[in-house]
Amino acid sequence: MNNAAKILAFCIAGACGIAHAQQEAPRPAAATLTQPKGASQPVDARGFIHRWLVLEPVPVPGRLTEAAVQEALKSAALPGDALPSGGETVTINGNSLTWHAHDTLQYNFNLYHFAWSLSKPTSNVLFWAVTTVDSPGEMQNVRLAIGSNAASRWWLNGEPVIALNDDRQSVIDDGVSRRVTLRKGRNVIRAAIINGGGATDFCARFLDENDQPLKGLTVLLP
Amino acid sequence: MGMKFGVAALVALSGPVHALDGEILVHDPSTVITHNGRYYTYGTGNGLPVLTSEDGWTWKRAGSLMSAVPGGKAGPEVLARGGNNTWAPDIIHVGDKFFLYYSAPGTQPKSAIGLLIGRTLDPQSPDYKWEDGGPVVWSDGIEDSNAIDPGVLLGPDGRLWLTYGSYFGYIRLVELDPRTGKRRYPDRAPVNIAINSEASILIYRDGWYYLLVTHGSCCQGANSTYNIRMGRSRKVTGPYLDNMGVDMIEGGGKLFAASRGRHVGPGHFGLLDLGAGVQKFSLHYEADLDRGGVSVLDLRPLLWRDGWPIAGDNLVPGTYILESARTGTVLELAVQGSPVGGFRPRRGGPPGSGIVGSGPPGGAPPAGPPPEPREGPPIADQDPAQVAANWPATSGVRLAPAMLQAQQKWVIAPVANSGGYPGAPFFRITIAGTERSLTAVAGGEVSATAFTGLPEQLWRIDQLTDGSYRIVAKAVPGTSDVLALSAVGSSMPTLARFDAASDRQRWLLEAP
């Protein structure tokens, strides 16, 4: 009987922070994440995007209702709209946080692995993730399709396209955007994933008009 | 037998469906198990609380299981591998032993699953005690696993399997030794079969292994999003795919049970196979709105359709037509019915018959256009009380074509303080607007007599795996046999032993 609620209560009581403070030795790198190799990377055979810039987790209350997610987005807002780069640091609520560039070895990006390997909290946190997708030409009537554990918000080229609330598992194509148009060239995907407790991850790909994955895309870091 | 009979029509009927009766507050119940005629389940909490029942309907708390363990708590190895919590057990009977597996988490995801071994579940037995079998599996707090929520399956080939896990990574599978309850191959790595879910358990049917898990969050009352999902595989080791082909290890899962009616957040599936085509499943709801939003135990029918289990619902009290699957005719009081809306002359007939609207005996058809059809005003349903006032004092029942007439409408209502069976209380079955109630009589026949509450007027109504119903008398005068309502020929209801291979004792309960 594990559950996000118990973990939430556990962490609000301060035990999460204590547990992390006691882990002083450097932890091994996340087994599912690697450093990006090469300037670009195609999406995989099922259309999933593997290359992401992810910011170290921002502590938030971890509640997952729509109102709570909106509040978390405000409190954990990025300092500006400029695209980040790997190794760059930003300050949010007095915390200095670093952007990390990773390729995931799986179809999904395991944020729990990411944060744990950095000795950062995994519960009651918000993760920012950014990547760019290069399209060989304009593509109309496609959809961004994501799964996230737990609540998330997604923007494509600055426009909000997906909003998922509440505690949920990362299920392939759980959240799907309305029909959108991919520009020729670079398209920016930005996401915020909020976790209450337990595992946390996300996956993302584009679907065509027949709900089949788009495979001709290339992923580049901003 | 495949799902043949729809049950959607029942939704329109009124009346609440309650969870079980008695002391049913529990969280994370184990599979309900029977032993020496009693039902048992064990839940999360100090010492693993015990719930027991004589009939599967009325339950009471009966202390804690750990009170029968030497030292009164988990063994030292379990505590060392995990922690001192006692959560979410599962239990299975193998040979002459009961194996009970329980979660012993520390600071999650560091946790262990401990084993307790007993010979009887009856606390009154001199043999009643539980022995510490040590930790079976565990998670070290770093790996992608949280070793809680055990679920056990004894497969069709006699092999014993344990699944476990929660929201820190994988749901894992290991094989157990049926002789000891411990791991059969402790040096082999567990097999990952699903991810980020909990309360996993396997069941088997017709060449398929089904993995049922609970998604969502618990422990927040009516704000809990618990729901039960599933996938299936030909091999016990997976991959377990849902109805869309998505692997459960990538988050897939076909919905099995979600919040309905007055119950929010179903979780922790357990199979209770009663045999003869009757399967039930145990679960808890995070919030029973009829009990102030607390977590309670329930038992519900398990149906099957197109190779997937379906979560059935316990019978909703209401007015029904009882149609025989054997004959297609319906149970009625043996009185002359009258058509809904009254008698009217037959419209048309064979040429030359003289019936209004019939043509001449041969020759050319009538000249001119056909008469314009006209719609009449609505015809009211028959008022059972009004119609019944003219019925003779017969107590006979029979089967006849369904005509929506008053003598064919039966009110099925629970009878308080009369006991029950797994998932439901005993019911009375009474012609609407009357007290004439279906009654088992000596010789194994049925009649409709004034309701007195005697056992022969109380009926156990179990939904079968194909969606039809078995209707069994609580008692039949003159015999100790368990007899079910049965159809003989096209028009004769009687009582007979239930034959799962036949439609004779299968009934469809339809909205009139």
mmCIF file of all heavy atoms in Angstrom, chain B residues 323-354:
data_model
loop_
_atom_site.group_PDB
_atom_site.id
_atom_site.type_symbol
_atom_site.label_atom_id
_atom_site.label_comp_id
_atom_site.label_asym_id
_atom_site.label_seq_id
_atom_site.Cartn_x
_atom_site.Cartn_y
_atom_site.Cartn_z
ATOM 1 N N GLU B 323 -36.526 -13.866 -17.075
ATOM 2 C CA GLU B 323 -36.603 -14.614 -18.328
ATOM 3 C C GLU B 323 -35.694 -15.832 -18.264
ATOM 4 O O GLU B 323 -34.517 -15.724 -17.909
ATOM 5 C CB GLU B 323 -36.188 -13.718 -19.499
ATOM 6 C CG GLU B 323 -36.227 -14.421 -20.849
ATOM 7 C CD GLU B 323 -35.748 -13.506 -21.958
ATOM 8 O OE1 GLU B 323 -36.276 -12.376 -22.057
ATOM 9 O OE2 GLU B 323 -34.819 -13.900 -22.698
ATOM 10 N N SER B 324 -36.239 -16.959 -18.624
ATOM 11 C CA SER B 324 -35.453 -18.191 -18.633
ATOM 12 C C SER B 324 -34.516 -18.203 -19.829
ATOM 13 O O SER B 324 -34.958 -18.023 -20.975
ATOM 14 C CB SER B 324 -36.381 -19.404 -18.700
ATOM 15 O OG SER B 324 -35.639 -20.557 -19.048
ATOM 16 N N ALA B 325 -33.229 -18.451 -19.575
ATOM 17 C CA ALA B 325 -32.290 -18.595 -20.687
ATOM 18 C C ALA B 325 -32.570 -19.884 -21.450
ATOM 19 O O ALA B 325 -32.235 -20.002 -22.626
ATOM 20 C CB ALA B 325 -30.861 -18.593 -20.164
ATOM 21 N N ARG B 326 -33.199 -20.852 -20.782
ATOM 22 C CA ARG B 326 -33.527 -22.127 -21.417
ATOM 23 C C ARG B 326 -34.649 -21.967 -22.440
ATOM 24 O O ARG B 326 -34.580 -22.493 -23.543
ATOM 25 C CB ARG B 326 -33.925 -23.128 -20.328
ATOM 26 C CG ARG B 326 -34.821 -24.281 -20.732
ATOM 27 C CD ARG B 326 -34.107 -25.315 -21.575
ATOM 28 N NE ARG B 326 -34.988 -26.460 -21.839
ATOM 29 C CZ ARG B 326 -35.927 -26.472 -22.779
ATOM 30 N NH1 ARG B 326 -36.122 -25.405 -23.551
ATOM 31 N NH2 ARG B 326 -36.685 -27.548 -22.958
ATOM 32 N N THR B 327 -35.680 -21.210 -22.075
ATOM 33 C CA THR B 327 -36.885 -21.198 -22.896
ATOM 34 C C THR B 327 -37.164 -19.858 -23.560
ATOM 35 O O THR B 327 -37.912 -19.792 -24.531
ATOM 36 C CB THR B 327 -38.107 -21.538 -22.028
ATOM 37 O OG1 THR B 327 -38.299 -20.474 -21.084
ATOM 38 C CG2 THR B 327 -37.906 -22.847 -21.285
ATOM 39 N N GLY B 328 -36.644 -18.783 -23.018
ATOM 40 C CA GLY B 328 -36.990 -17.454 -23.532
ATOM 41 C C GLY B 328 -38.332 -16.972 -23.036
ATOM 42 O O GLY B 328 -38.768 -15.879 -23.409
ATOM 43 N N THR B 329 -39.000 -17.779 -22.227
ATOM 44 C CA THR B 329 -40.252 -17.355 -21.620
ATOM 45 C C THR B 329 -39.975 -16.796 -20.225
ATOM 46 O O THR B 329 -38.890 -16.968 -19.688
ATOM 47 C CB THR B 329 -41.242 -18.525 -21.538
ATOM 48 O OG1 THR B 329 -40.559 -19.665 -20.990
ATOM 49 C CG2 THR B 329 -41.772 -18.886 -22.909
ATOM 50 N N VAL B 330 -40.973 -16.126 -19.648
ATOM 51 C CA VAL B 330 -40.740 -15.423 -18.382
ATOM 52 C C VAL B 330 -41.612 -16.006 -17.279
ATOM 53 O O VAL B 330 -42.684 -16.564 -17.524
ATOM 54 C CB VAL B 330 -40.991 -13.906 -18.528
ATOM 55 C CG1 VAL B 330 -40.119 -13.331 -19.622
ATOM 56 C CG2 VAL B 330 -42.458 -13.600 -18.782
ATOM 57 N N LEU B 331 -41.125 -15.830 -16.066
ATOM 58 C CA LEU B 331 -41.832 -16.347 -14.892
ATOM 59 C C LEU B 331 -43.038 -15.453 -14.610
ATOM 60 O O LEU B 331 -42.910 -14.223 -14.575
ATOM 61 C CB LEU B 331 -40.883 -16.340 -13.695
ATOM 62 C CG LEU B 331 -41.381 -17.018 -12.421
ATOM 63 C CD1 LEU B 331 -41.452 -18.533 -12.606
ATOM 64 C CD2 LEU B 331 -40.459 -16.672 -11.247
ATOM 65 N N GLU B 332 -44.207 -16.102 -14.415
ATOM 66 C CA GLU B 332 -45.397 -15.305 -14.101
ATOM 67 C C GLU B 332 -46.282 -16.050 -13.122
ATOM 68 O O GLU B 332 -46.220 -17.280 -12.994
ATOM 69 C CB GLU B 332 -46.190 -14.969 -15.356
ATOM 70 C CG GLU B 332 -46.881 -16.163 -16.002
ATOM 71 C CD GLU B 332 -47.823 -15.766 -17.147
ATOM 72 O OE1 GLU B 332 -47.665 -14.659 -17.686
ATOM 73 O OE2 GLU B 332 -48.707 -16.576 -17.484
ATOM 74 N N LEU B 333 -47.110 -15.273 -12.437
ATOM 75 C CA LEU B 333 -48.164 -15.862 -11.636
ATOM 76 C C LEU B 333 -49.179 -16.468 -12.600
ATOM 77 O O LEU B 333 -49.493 -15.866 -13.637
ATOM 78 C CB LEU B 333 -48.826 -14.770 -10.779
ATOM 79 C CG LEU B 333 -49.886 -15.225 -9.793
ATOM 80 C CD1 LEU B 333 -49.244 -16.022 -8.648
ATOM 81 C CD2 LEU B 333 -50.641 -14.016 -9.234
ATOM 82 N N ALA B 334 -49.687 -17.649 -12.256
ATOM 83 C CA ALA B 334 -50.545 -18.378 -13.198
ATOM 84 C C ALA B 334 -51.963 -17.826 -13.191
ATOM 85 O O ALA B 334 -52.909 -18.452 -12.691
ATOM 86 C CB ALA B 334 -50.530 -19.864 -12.862
ATOM 87 N N VAL B 335 -52.147 -16.650 -13.696
ATOM 88 C CA VAL B 335 -53.470 -16.037 -13.842
ATOM 89 C C VAL B 335 -53.618 -15.564 -15.282
ATOM 90 O O VAL B 335 -52.626 -15.389 -15.993
ATOM 91 C CB VAL B 335 -53.638 -14.827 -12.891
ATOM 92 C CG1 VAL B 335 -53.573 -15.276 -11.441
ATOM 93 C CG2 VAL B 335 -52.581 -13.764 -13.172
ATOM 94 N N GLN B 336 -54.865 -15.397 -15.682
ATOM 95 C CA GLN B 336 -55.109 -14.885 -17.026
ATOM 96 C C GLN B 336 -54.697 -13.420 -17.082
ATOM 97 O O GLN B 336 -55.234 -12.577 -16.351
ATOM 98 C CB GLN B 336 -56.592 -15.018 -17.381
ATOM 99 C CG GLN B 336 -56.967 -14.385 -18.706
ATOM 100 C CD GLN B 336 -56.235 -15.020 -19.878
ATOM 101 O OE1 GLN B 336 -56.305 -16.232 -20.082
ATOM 102 N NE2 GLN B 336 -55.480 -14.229 -20.638
ATOM 103 N N GLY B 337 -53.759 -13.122 -17.926
ATOM 104 C CA GLY B 337 -53.343 -11.741 -18.060
ATOM 105 C C GLY B 337 -54.260 -10.991 -18.996
ATOM 106 O O GLY B 337 -55.048 -11.587 -19.745
ATOM 107 N N SER B 338 -54.147 -9.703 -18.943
ATOM 108 C CA SER B 338 -54.895 -8.877 -19.891
ATOM 109 C C SER B 338 -53.903 -7.988 -20.610
ATOM 110 O O SER B 338 -52.919 -7.524 -20.021
ATOM 111 C CB SER B 338 -55.947 -8.033 -19.164
ATOM 112 O OG SER B 338 -55.335 -7.238 -18.171
ATOM 113 N N PRO B 339 -54.135 -7.747 -21.901
ATOM 114 C CA PRO B 339 -53.153 -6.968 -22.662
ATOM 115 C C PRO B 339 -52.973 -5.571 -22.073
ATOM 116 O O PRO B 339 -53.909 -4.986 -21.529
ATOM 117 C CB PRO B 339 -53.769 -6.899 -24.060
ATOM 118 C CG PRO B 339 -54.798 -7.959 -24.089
ATOM 119 C CD PRO B 339 -55.287 -8.140 -22.688
ATOM 120 N N VAL B 340 -51.799 -5.091 -22.205
ATOM 121 C CA VAL B 340 -51.539 -3.710 -21.782
ATOM 122 C C VAL B 340 -52.391 -2.786 -22.657
ATOM 123 O O VAL B 340 -52.320 -2.842 -23.886
ATOM 124 C CB VAL B 340 -50.047 -3.359 -21.930
ATOM 125 C CG1 VAL B 340 -49.788 -1.931 -21.458
ATOM 126 C CG2 VAL B 340 -49.188 -4.344 -21.166
ATOM 127 N N GLY B 341 -53.249 -1.986 -22.054
ATOM 128 C CA GLY B 341 -54.140 -1.102 -22.800
ATOM 129 C C GLY B 341 -55.481 -1.726 -23.113
ATOM 130 O O GLY B 341 -56.338 -1.075 -23.706
ATOM 131 N N GLY B 342 -55.708 -2.985 -22.730
ATOM 132 C CA GLY B 342 -56.990 -3.642 -22.932
ATOM 133 C C GLY B 342 -57.055 -4.401 -24.249
ATOM 134 O O GLY B 342 -56.179 -4.288 -25.105
ATOM 135 N N PHE B 343 -58.089 -5.206 -24.369
ATOM 136 C CA PHE B 343 -58.259 -6.009 -25.586
ATOM 137 C C PHE B 343 -58.672 -5.116 -26.744
ATOM 138 O O PHE B 343 -59.365 -4.126 -26.579
ATOM 139 C CB PHE B 343 -59.338 -7.079 -25.348
ATOM 140 C CG PHE B 343 -58.867 -8.187 -24.445
ATOM 141 C CD1 PHE B 343 -59.146 -8.149 -23.088
ATOM 142 C CD2 PHE B 343 -58.139 -9.251 -24.947
ATOM 143 C CE1 PHE B 343 -58.704 -9.155 -22.247
ATOM 144 C CE2 PHE B 343 -57.698 -10.266 -24.107
ATOM 145 C CZ PHE B 343 -57.984 -10.220 -22.760
ATOM 146 N N ARG B 344 -58.249 -5.477 -27.921
ATOM 147 C CA ARG B 344 -58.688 -4.784 -29.124
ATOM 148 C C ARG B 344 -58.783 -5.803 -30.253
ATOM 149 O O ARG B 344 -58.113 -6.838 -30.218
ATOM 150 C CB ARG B 344 -57.725 -3.666 -29.496
ATOM 151 C CG ARG B 344 -56.339 -4.141 -29.847
ATOM 152 C CD ARG B 344 -55.461 -2.974 -30.250
ATOM 153 N NE ARG B 344 -55.358 -2.004 -29.165
ATOM 154 C CZ ARG B 344 -54.898 -0.767 -29.330
ATOM 155 N NH1 ARG B 344 -54.526 -0.365 -30.529
ATOM 156 N NH2 ARG B 344 -54.806 0.056 -28.321
ATOM 157 N N PRO B 345 -59.660 -5.547 -31.264
ATOM 158 C CA PRO B 345 -59.805 -6.523 -32.362
ATOM 159 C C PRO B 345 -58.527 -6.606 -33.175
ATOM 160 O O PRO B 345 -57.776 -5.638 -33.293
ATOM 161 C CB PRO B 345 -60.957 -5.950 -33.179
ATOM 162 C CG PRO B 345 -60.988 -4.499 -32.846
ATOM 163 C CD PRO B 345 -60.538 -4.400 -31.427
ATOM 164 N N ARG B 346 -58.323 -7.789 -33.706
ATOM 165 C CA ARG B 346 -57.135 -7.976 -34.543
ATOM 166 C C ARG B 346 -57.249 -7.105 -35.774
ATOM 167 O O ARG B 346 -58.293 -7.049 -36.412
ATOM 168 C CB ARG B 346 -57.030 -9.450 -34.920
ATOM 169 C CG ARG B 346 -55.870 -9.763 -35.840
ATOM 170 C CD ARG B 346 -55.691 -11.259 -35.993
ATOM 171 N NE ARG B 346 -54.662 -11.557 -36.965
ATOM 172 C CZ ARG B 346 -54.186 -12.778 -37.175
ATOM 173 N NH1 ARG B 346 -54.662 -13.796 -36.483
ATOM 174 N NH2 ARG B 346 -53.257 -12.978 -38.070
ATOM 175 N N ARG B 347 -56.167 -6.437 -36.101
ATOM 176 C CA ARG B 347 -56.155 -5.561 -37.270
ATOM 177 C C ARG B 347 -55.694 -6.367 -38.478
ATOM 178 O O ARG B 347 -54.550 -6.776 -38.573
ATOM 179 C CB ARG B 347 -55.210 -4.390 -37.039
ATOM 180 C CG ARG B 347 -55.297 -3.314 -38.122
ATOM 181 C CD ARG B 347 -54.294 -2.225 -37.856
ATOM 182 N NE ARG B 347 -54.490 -1.610 -36.553
ATOM 183 C CZ ARG B 347 -55.387 -0.647 -36.303
ATOM 184 N NH1 ARG B 347 -56.154 -0.193 -37.285
ATOM 185 N NH2 ARG B 347 -55.509 -0.133 -35.096
ATOM 186 N N GLY B 348 -56.639 -6.613 -39.388
ATOM 187 C CA GLY B 348 -56.308 -7.370 -40.581
ATOM 188 C C GLY B 348 -56.292 -8.857 -40.312
ATOM 189 O O GLY B 348 -56.324 -9.322 -39.176
ATOM 190 N N GLY B 349 -56.343 -9.618 -41.361
ATOM 191 C CA GLY B 349 -56.328 -11.064 -41.240
ATOM 192 C C GLY B 349 -56.244 -11.670 -42.617
ATOM 193 O O GLY B 349 -56.147 -10.956 -43.629
ATOM 194 N N PRO B 350 -56.288 -12.969 -42.687
ATOM 195 C CA PRO B 350 -56.201 -13.606 -44.009
ATOM 196 C C PRO B 350 -57.360 -13.155 -44.887
ATOM 197 O O PRO B 350 -58.481 -12.959 -44.390
ATOM 198 C CB PRO B 350 -56.297 -15.097 -43.676
ATOM 199 C CG PRO B 350 -55.920 -15.203 -42.242
ATOM 200 C CD PRO B 350 -56.376 -13.934 -41.608
ATOM 201 N N PRO B 351 -57.139 -12.958 -46.167
ATOM 202 C CA PRO B 351 -58.231 -12.534 -47.058
ATOM 203 C C PRO B 351 -59.431 -13.461 -46.916
ATOM 204 O O PRO B 351 -59.290 -14.687 -46.912
ATOM 205 C CB PRO B 351 -57.607 -12.621 -48.452
ATOM 206 C CG PRO B 351 -56.142 -12.432 -48.214
ATOM 207 C CD PRO B 351 -55.884 -13.084 -46.895
ATOM 208 N N GLY B 352 -60.575 -12.863 -46.770
ATOM 209 C CA GLY B 352 -61.803 -13.631 -46.657
ATOM 210 C C GLY B 352 -62.114 -14.098 -45.261
ATOM 211 O O GLY B 352 -63.135 -14.760 -45.034
ATOM 212 N N SER B 353 -61.264 -13.754 -44.275
ATOM 213 C CA SER B 353 -61.497 -14.247 -42.919
ATOM 214 C C SER B 353 -62.628 -13.497 -42.232
ATOM 215 O O SER B 353 -63.162 -13.955 -41.227
ATOM 216 C CB SER B 353 -60.230 -14.101 -42.075
ATOM 217 O OG SER B 353 -59.908 -12.729 -41.918
ATOM 218 N N GLY B 354 -62.970 -12.342 -42.784
ATOM 219 C CA GLY B 354 -64.017 -11.567 -42.149
ATOM 220 C C GLY B 354 -63.514 -10.657 -41.050
ATOM 221 O O GLY B 354 -64.261 -9.846 -40.515
#
